[in-house]
Amino acid sequence: MSAPAPARPAAPSYAAVLRVPHARRTFAAALAGRFSYGVAPLAVLLSVNRATGSYAVSGMVMSLFGGAAVFLMPLRASLVDRYGARRALLPMATLYAVLLCVLAALLWRPGAPAALIGAAAALAGACAPPLGSVMRALWSELVTDRHLQRRAYSLDGVAEELLFVSGPVLVGALITWAPPASGILLGALLIVGGTAAFVTSPAMTGPRTGSGTGPRAGRRTKSRRTRSGGVPGLLVPVVVAAGAGLALSGVELLVTAYAERGSYDTAFVPWVLGALSVGSALGGLANGAIDWRLSARARLARFTAGLGLMIAAAGLAPDLWTLTAAMVLTGVFIAPTLTTSYLLADETAPKGARAQAGAWVNMAVNGGNSSGALMAGALIGRLPLPLCFALAGAASLAAAAVTLVARGPGGVPAAEAGASGASAVEASGVPAVDQAGVGC
């Protein structure tokens, strides 16, 4: 009689992530700083609109502010990888906060020249510290167990989702008794306080998120990045993040158009989009709790395809309530898609470039988001709404196709690498967790 198969160890809980030494303090500090990014953008928009009375100027300022923050993020993250978080983050945060204060002063009362407002906004965005990318890179050092690390990334993603939902609510409450520019000052206070607490955490002792400090360390990192595949290794997570951002930005406009064409009150639109966030939070928690046997690449292909299919199916909803339910199901795939993209980028990047790898994924999400809004705006009114939903979903499906054809470790197609990795681990009785990205 054969011996029974050994029982698989119980999966660690989310509480276990926060019991890791220094994790609670470090994570709380990073979230406090990152909360600035949930507060400041809306406060800037409302302040500019109030001070200038021009939607054109508001759009210009927000484009400069957001564009500088997003597209220079890999450069700022490379400075963190090169010089270390303690030496790079606090000066960035301080300069960013000072420029936010300048922007608030310009917008406190009407009359400031639009060019001066735009210049201050662009400079502020250019200095925004990449706290999210650094925190995700730090998780891989705080948490060495791959099961627990996946839960850490999921917890991080869900918390970030909640920050961007609650930030606008806080701004809305603040401006009932203070000028909108006060929200910009609050963003400055959050970024300085959060970053200072983050870099002084015991978890940041010594060089972090990089293999060394100074120019020589940067050159060594660059050399290793070239030998290990560098940018080609980041192709899958970056393309998936861009595809997801492209698809999801179109959804916001499409939901608004759906409500208008169906003669629904547009006041319901935020609730429908809120259902998307609820689904994303639930999906993120479930993704971290499930003991996956598939590799990260194989999971990413399925999450991205599921996201695209659900967006396309949402266009067939017969009424707003069905559309709301469809948004919850769509959201279930958002956090797992983005969390796994960040996780795969972290695994793919050499140790000295993890913050930069996460920043490329972040930039891809936001870049796709901006492009998707423009494309959706151009298509709505020219094509039937169900077809517009289908085209938005197609962006995510195309990204899923990239995960299947892109080459994984050793030149093996990603789909084959995921399947073979899972089969081998099943044979050994050990769970296959994020095998494909290791050593890329």
Side-chain angles (χ1 to χ4, degrees):
M1 183 175 177
S2 59
R8 297 175 69 184
S13 65
Y14 283 106
V17 174
L18 298 178
R19 285 197 296 268
V20 171
H22 312 307
R24 279 196 300 271
R25 172 183 167 175
T26 309
F27 187 40
L31 289 179
R34 291 155 75 180
F35 196 27
S36 174
Y37 300 137
V39 169
L42 179 60
V44 170
L45 174 62
L46 295 175
S47 300
V48 174
N49 196 44
R50 181 188 181 194
T52 66
S54 169
Y55 286 105
V57 173
S58 299
M60 178 270 293
V61 170
M62 293 309 295
S63 296
L64 291 171
F65 182 64
V70 169
F71 294 109
L72 293 179
M73 184 175 290
L75 175 60
R76 297 192 299 273
S78 70
L79 294 176
V80 176
D81 282 328
R82 186 173 184 178
Y83 295 105
R86 282 189 164 178
R87 295 176 63 188
L89 281 180
L90 197 54
M92 283 186 207
T94 303
L95 188 54
Y96 176 65
V98 168
L99 289 166
L100 284 182
C101 291
V102 170
L103 191 57
L106 290 172
L107 296 171
W108 202 264
R109 292 184 178 87
L116 189 58
I117 296 171
L123 289 172
C127 299
L131 289 178
S133 299
V134 176
M135 184 66 233
R136 281 183 285 267
L138 186 59
W139 278 126
S140 65
E141 297 188 25
L142 288 173
V143 181
T144 55
D145 178 80
R146 304 306 296 173
H147 295 72
L148 198 58
Q149 189 178 111
R150 191 175 66 250
R151 278 156 181 75
Y153 270 68
S154 294
L155 182 64
D156 189 282
V158 170
E160 189 171 63
E161 185 83 35
L162 295 176
L163 292 182
F164 282 96
V165 170
S166 56
V169 174
L170 178 59
V171 172
L174 183 63
I175 64 175
T176 59
W177 55 272
S182 61
I184 304 177
L185 296 178
L186 176 60
L189 180 64
L190 286 168
I191 198 70
V192 169
T195 303
F198 181 62
V199 299
T200 55
S201 165
M204 303 297 290
T205 301
R208 290 282 175 178
T209 71
S211 57
T213 58
R216 291 186 180 181
R219 286 195 293 269
R220 288 196 299 269
T221 296
K222 182 177 179 181
S223 174
R224 282 196 301 275
R225 188 157 56 242
T226 302
R227 290 196 300 268
S228 64
V231 174
L234 293 178
L235 174 66
V236 168
V238 167
V239 168
V240 166
L246 194 67
L248 291 169
S249 64
V251 167
E252 296 181 3
L253 287 177
L254 290 168
V255 168
T256 304
Y258 186 102
E260 290 177 349
R261 292 189 183 183
S263 300
Y264 296 99
D265 188 343
T266 53
F268 287 115
V269 170
W271 293 99
V272 178
L273 296 176
L276 196 69
S277 296
V278 169
S280 180
L282 293 174
L285 291 173
N287 175 53
I290 294 172
D291 191 15
W292 296 101
R293 298 185 66 85
L294 292 171
S295 69
R297 287 176 184 264
R299 295 198 309 273
L300 189 57
R302 287 159 174 76
F303 292 148
T304 312
L307 177 63
L309 290 172
M310 285 308 308
I311 291 173
L316 303 176
D319 53 55
L320 193 65
W321 322 118
T322 308
L323 181 65
T324 302
M327 287 297 102
V328 174
L329 295 176
T330 299
V332 165
F333 293 96
I334 296 174
T337 297
L338 298 180
T339 297
T340 308
S341 296
Y342 283 118
L343 187 60
L344 189 57
D346 182 81
E347 293 176 343
T348 301
K351 185 178 180 181
R354 285 172 173 167
Q356 192 175 359
W360 276 107
V361 175
N362 195 299
M363 187 190 78
V365 174
N366 289 285
N369 215 295
S370 301
S371 303
L374 292 173
M375 294 172 63
L379 293 176
I380 294 172
R382 292 182 172 87
L383 297 174
L385 270 184
L387 181 56
C388 291
F389 273 95
L391 290 174
S396 188
L397 289 171
V402 170
T403 68
L404 297 175
V405 301
R407 300 219 164 247
V412 179
E416 295 178 19
S420 62
S423 299
V425 174
E426 285 173 10
S428 66
V430 180
V433 181
D434 308 325
Q435 299 270 334
V438 178
C440 293

